[in-house]
Amino acid sequence: MKQLNAMIRPLAWLAPAILLWGCGATQLVSTPVENIDHVVPKVTELSEAEARSWSHADLVRDSIPGMSVDRAYTEILGSLRGETVVVAVLDSGIDLDHEDLDGVLWTNRDEKPGNGVDDDNNGYVDDVHGYNFLGESYNEQLEAARILRLNLGDAALQERARKKLEAESAEAAANKQRYEQILQAVKNADAAVKAHLGRDNYTKADVAGIDTQDPQLMQAVAILEQMYSFEDSIDAVMEQLQEGIQYFTERLNYHFNTSFNGREVVGDDPYDIDDRNYGNGNPSNRVEGESHGTHVAGIIAAERNNGIGMDGVADKVEIMAVRAVPNGDEYDKDVALAIRYAVDNGARIINASFGKPFSPNAQWVYEAIKYAAANDVLIVHAAGNDSQDLDLPENANYPTDQEGTGPEIADNVLTVGSLDSSYGSEMVSSFSNYGRSQVDVFAPGGNIYSTMPGNAYDFQGGTSMAAPAVAGIAAVIRSRFPDLTASQVKKIIMQSGLPVKSQVILGGNPENARTLADASRSGRIANLYNALILASQVSRGNAQP
């Protein structure tokens, strides 16, 4: 990496970079995105179109900290050929029938669907589009609750798990009560305004126009006006509050409940790595609210230019669906076996948008990561949404490729933090974890529009959305430059990103302001346009990452 830095001044190459695309391909001349220190932050709100695609924008041209995806397709990729790359999405179930995903699914053509036979002898029955390591289970405990329920580990581990569980459970109960109180206040205010106006529908202007001396009605108006600062309609506010109540209720009923056993229906021993005869070949989502995997898959690979929904980052890509993440903490066994499954069945990239603070059998996952590295598979991992510095030992986020700030166990894991759409000091998402050693690069993850079950589309935010954005970049690179290794692709993405030298607020705390270089290894924003230019140079032997 030091040699690469010495050979190439990041984002300030003065000579054009000539991209060679193989026999019969057109030669293109391009220069990297640069001069971002002179970018004027966008002061107006994003338009509807910009909000739905901001992660694909170009920072210099649009003043939006996207990844220059659209510019890369327009100026570099065009109709240039590339080979198809398989990306495994280790996540919750994916809607395999979605209109924007059904054309990009990986298909195991050696497996005959639905015959109950392991036709290709890979150890998994009916795995036509991937595999489901969760069986029919969905709700799960956090690992801390399982540690206490099953007396896993030593006394010190159990005490750490107990303290964390008690603190988070108390916080969830308080938040649930707060949301319920707010919802009731909004409902009462909504009813009072409707009664005053004599109709069931009203607008923000109608509320602002109410002139009254009635203390109760004045309070109702004040409550609704405050709610309008969060959503455009009171119905939308109440829907958001209901979702919050449901979220905290699930946390209390399942995640923190030491008596709950969501794994029972699966029938295996999740703490025995040799107990492998479980799961099934249907990795689709099981319940309506199981949307995470579908959203992640769309960010990577939603069919491009089909006139519906949105466009994924990668074009020549197939999604291998691997259901391994429940509504709760994933099991180490599932993660380890899912990684090995993806590697053995042809994935060149694995997206891992999940994480947890406890990992009783982390060694199983470490060995799987090394297995992926030995087979030239890149793993892109979400940094997590706890607003924490992962370099601190008390803030572990598993799976990880290093213990603390120690050496990496392999050079094939790329950990991604999240950005919001507003360029400037508040561009790092307040929820995003960070760490000069543990986090490699940042990418768009705040309020991302993507696919949802049932041919729907919606916004979700998290480092879970930033990781697949980078997995998409990796897929484009590996498609056009198949000679590059997973380690090289990782370094290219880190080296070619846009460097932000000014300080940014981390964890949503204005007193915690650092540069991106103090919050990640690269100090950069992932950028597809620049990554392709650097990938071309590395592929031609003009640079050695």
Side-chain angles (χ1 to χ4, degrees), residues 2-271:
K2 290 181 179 179
Q3 183 179 358
L4 179 59
N5 279 330
M7 295 178 66
I8 303 172
R9 279 195 302 160
L11 301 172
W13 299 296
L14 299 179
I18 301 177
L19 305 187
L20 303 181
W21 300 94
C23 296
T26 304
Q27 291 187 355
L28 298 181
V29 178
S30 188
T31 53
V33 178
E34 55 187 351
N35 297 325
I36 69 168
D37 290 335
H38 302 291
V39 171
V40 178
K42 187 177 178 67
V43 295
T44 58
E45 291 188 5
L46 299 183
S47 67
E48 182 178 351
E50 287 174 333
R52 291 184 173 187
S53 62
W54 75 265
S55 62
H56 291 199
D58 181 86
L59 178 57
V60 173
R61 295 183 176 183
D62 306 314
S63 297
I64 300 172
M67 304 184 301
S68 302
V69 175
D70 294 337
R71 184 176 177 184
Y73 276 96
T74 300
E75 299 183 17
I76 296 180
L77 293 168
S79 61
L80 295 173
R81 296 194 302 268
E83 65 179 44
T84 299
V85 173
V86 177
V87 178
V89 175
L90 272 60
D91 215 293
S92 66
I94 294 175
D95 181 359
L96 304 179
D97 297 320
H98 196 287
E99 62 184 3
D100 236 358
L101 296 174
D102 55 2
V104 294
L105 296 177
W106 170 77
T107 299
N108 181 0
R109 305 194 185 282
D110 294 326
E111 193 77 11
K112 297 177 181 178
N115 66 354
V117 177
D118 180 15
D119 299 290
D120 60 354
N121 295 313
N122 70 347
Y124 297 93
V125 175
D126 291 338
D127 58 324
V128 177
H129 296 301
Y131 198 73
N132 169 24
F133 286 90
L134 301 180
E136 299 310 307
S137 69
Y138 175 60
N139 290 311
E140 257 299 347
Q141 293 174 306
L142 298 186
E143 193 71 71
R146 297 197 288 253
I147 288 172
L148 296 178
R149 176 169 63 88
L150 300 172
N151 294 316
L152 301 176
D154 56 20
L157 176 65
Q158 292 180 28
E159 180 62 15
R160 285 197 297 114
R162 183 189 63 78
K163 287 183 177 180
K164 189 170 185 63
L165 199 66
E166 287 180 351
E168 292 191 3
S169 179
E171 182 180 7
N175 284 331
K176 176 176 178 288
Q177 183 180 33
R178 188 176 301 113
Y179 271 56
E180 289 171 338
Q181 291 171 343
I182 295 172
L183 177 60
Q184 189 58 55
V186 173
K187 284 182 175 180
N188 292 342
D190 177 65
V193 167
K194 286 178 178 177
H196 174 75
L197 296 175
R199 58 179 187 267
D200 289 336
N201 298 302
Y202 58 85
T203 66
K204 181 179 181 180
D206 291 332
V207 174
I210 294 176
D211 184 11
T212 180
Q213 298 301 315
D214 182 333
Q216 291 184 334
L217 185 56
M218 290 173 64
Q219 184 181 30
V221 169
I223 290 172
L224 296 185
E225 287 184 333
Q226 183 180 10
M227 293 301 106
Y228 276 122
S229 66
F230 300 107
E231 294 286 350
D232 293 332
S233 74
I234 299 305
D235 285 343
V237 169
M238 288 193 282
E239 183 179 348
Q240 290 289 327
L241 290 170
Q242 289 281 17
E243 290 178 0
I245 292 169
Q246 180 181 351
Y247 170 77
F248 291 118
T249 299
E250 289 180 351
R251 300 276 282 174
L252 293 167
N253 289 347
Y254 306 121
H255 299 178
F256 306 130
N257 184 356
T258 56
S259 299
F260 177 69
N261 181 7
R263 190 70 172 199
E264 190 172 10
V265 66
V266 180
D268 73 318
D269 178 355
Y271 294 95

Side-chain angles (χ1 to χ4, degrees), residues 347-392:
R348 300 193 69 195
I349 300 163
I350 296 172
N351 189 85
S353 287
F354 53 82
K356 59 182 182 178
F358 296 96
S359 184
N361 299 109
Q363 192 60 42
W364 296 344
V365 183
Y366 291 147
E367 293 303 319
I369 290 172
K370 293 176 183 177
Y371 182 72
N375 286 276
D376 193 31
V377 176
L378 178 70
I379 299 175
V380 184
H381 181 229
N385 306 326
D386 304 302
S387 308
Q388 293 178 341
D389 185 345
L390 297 183
D391 289 355
L392 301 178

Side-chain angles (χ1 to χ4, degrees), residues 301-316:
E303 298 172 33
R304 292 186 59 84
N305 303 318
N306 63 356
I308 58 175
M310 38 74 68
D311 291 338
V313 174
D315 55 349
K316 300 181 182 300

Side-chain angles (χ1 to χ4, degrees), residues 393-461:
E394 64 268 25
N395 294 336
N397 180 48
Y398 296 96
T400 177
D401 60 345
Q402 62 185 131
E403 296 193 37
T405 56
E408 294 180 339
I409 62 170
D411 195 24
N412 68 321
V413 178
L414 189 58
T415 301
V416 187
S418 173
L419 299 175
D420 288 339
S421 60
S422 179
Y423 181 65
S425 63
E426 297 182 359
M427 64 188 298
V428 174
S429 303
S430 61
F431 54 75
S432 180
N433 289 341
Y434 52 93
R436 188 170 186 174
S437 177
Q438 285 276 347
V439 176
D440 293 308
V441 70
F442 282 85
N447 214 29
I448 302 298
Y449 189 73
S450 185
T451 46
M452 297 283 282
N455 290 336
Y457 302 84
D458 206 348
F459 294 91
Q460 290 188 0

